[in-house]
Amino acid sequence: AHASGWLALTGADLDAKLDDRPLAPGQAFQLRHGQTLQFNNPKRGVRAYLATPGGFAAEPVMDAVATVMREQLGGLHGNGRGLHNSDRLQGKAGDAEPRTLPADALWYPGNEVVLDLIPGEQIAAFTGASLFAAFNQSWTLDQRADRMGMRLTGPALRYQGQALISEGIPLGAVQVPPDGQPIILMNDRQTIGGYPRLGAVTPLSLARLAQCAPGQKVRLRVVSQESARREMLNVISTLQAQGALPGLAHP
């Protein structure tokens, strides 16, 4: 740290240390000039989030400073490049105070993660055996997993419907390419696609999937749109009561 200020850390437990002192996620803390914040190996989850009260200073691209590496947009230098050694992040001014979230406000994957799925229009065109296998067996998260999509490996699913015209792809869509291995599409997904889809994973389950490492066992579970929305609202209400989501309006 080249200046003193406040940071907040949440998300995955990446074995963070502040001057060799363990730093658990889910808290705001003061970083003093000359101190070193270090992340080591993932212990629980794979994605952590570091924030400053006023955000990090960077030139906005399309009204955002997010880094999109594939399209070479945004980020610290405006070209979508990830952070490198010697890069310097400047935090904007903002007030903060010590704060720790309740332990149950953070979620970490267990031995098997259940992913809720809202069925899509094409689900009936898969064979009965494929549908039984899809929702009654565990899947393994493949090494081919990034912000575009997470590939699952397991029983090959067979689609027996007509060829499809490419259509819009929602967040969490579960596409099944010809090899029968599903792909759950994430935030950096393509905008259209022509593979048949089982449906879409709910936003809450998608957030949980994003914390899973390759090799993680997952299981798909069919839910209705109404129950998925109800669970999401319950989680939002709980986080608001814990002070984790101040001022967020219900969808």
Side-chain angles (χ1 to χ4, degrees), residues 162-178:
Q162 296 180 341
L164 301 174
I165 298 175
S166 292
E167 56 188 2
I169 298 294
L171 180 62
V174 184
Q175 284 191 332
V176 181

Side-chain angles (χ1 to χ4, degrees), residues 8-14 24-27 44-50 101 105-108 211:
L9 175 65
T10 188
D13 184 351
L14 303 185
Q27 62 174 306
R44 296 182 297 171
V46 294
R47 289 179 169 89
Y49 305 89
L50 193 66
L101 295 178
L106 300 175
W107 180 92
Y108 300 110
Q211 289 292 1

Side-chain angles (χ1 to χ4, degrees), residues 28-249:
F29 61 96
Q30 194 165 24
L31 184 69
R32 301 189 184 279
H33 179 270
Q35 286 188 307
T36 299
L37 175 63
Q38 178 178 326
F39 295 91
N40 298 288
N41 297 313
K43 296 173 66 177
R44 296 182 297 171
V46 294
R47 289 179 169 89
Y49 305 89
L50 193 66
T52 65
F56 291 106
E59 189 67 30
V61 176
M62 300 176 67
D63 295 327
V65 295
T67 302
V68 186
M69 298 178 70
R70 190 183 61 192
E71 274 75 29
Q72 300 180 351
L73 293 173
L76 182 62
H77 303 288
N79 59 2
R81 187 187 62 123
L83 295 178
H84 288 195
N85 287 337
S86 79
D87 279 346
R88 189 163 178 162
L89 285 171
Q90 179 72 40
K92 298 179 183 177
D95 296 327
E97 59 185 22
R99 183 177 170 201
T100 302
L101 295 178
D104 59 359
L106 300 175
W107 180 92
Y108 300 110
N111 293 332
E112 185 176 77
V113 174
V114 176
L115 304 176
D116 289 337
L117 177 140
I118 300 172
E121 179 184 1
Q122 293 132 23
I123 192 169
F126 288 87
T127 65
S130 292
L131 293 179
F132 183 86
F135 300 106
N136 289 278
Q137 296 187 36
S138 293
W139 297 87
T140 302
L141 185 60
D142 192 71
Q143 293 284 344
R144 293 165 291 180
D146 56 23
R147 283 179 53 87
M148 183 174 181
M150 303 277 205
R151 185 181 290 268
L152 305 181
T153 58
L157 305 182
R158 184 172 163 232
Y159 174 75
Q160 55 185 6
Q162 296 180 341
L164 301 174
I165 298 175
S166 292
E167 56 188 2
I169 298 294
L171 180 62
V174 184
Q175 284 191 332
V176 181
D179 66 0
Q181 303 297 282
I183 303 172
I184 302 177
L185 297 177
M186 307 295 283
N187 291 65
D188 286 353
R189 69 198 180 280
Q190 70 274 27
T191 55
I192 61 173
Y195 292 140
R197 302 197 300 263
L198 289 174
V201 169
T202 67
L204 192 59
S205 289
L206 203 68
R208 291 169 177 166
L209 176 63
Q211 289 292 1
C212 294
Q216 173 70 52
K217 295 293 184 181
V218 303
R219 185 178 291 265
L220 299 175
R221 178 175 64 185
V222 172
V223 297
S224 68
Q225 184 174 344
E226 292 75 18
S227 66
R229 182 176 186 273
R230 188 163 53 249
E231 183 185 12
M232 188 70 177
L233 292 179
N234 287 339
V235 169
I236 290 174
S237 295
T238 300
L239 292 175
Q240 285 178 327
Q242 295 171 335
L245 293 176
L248 180 65

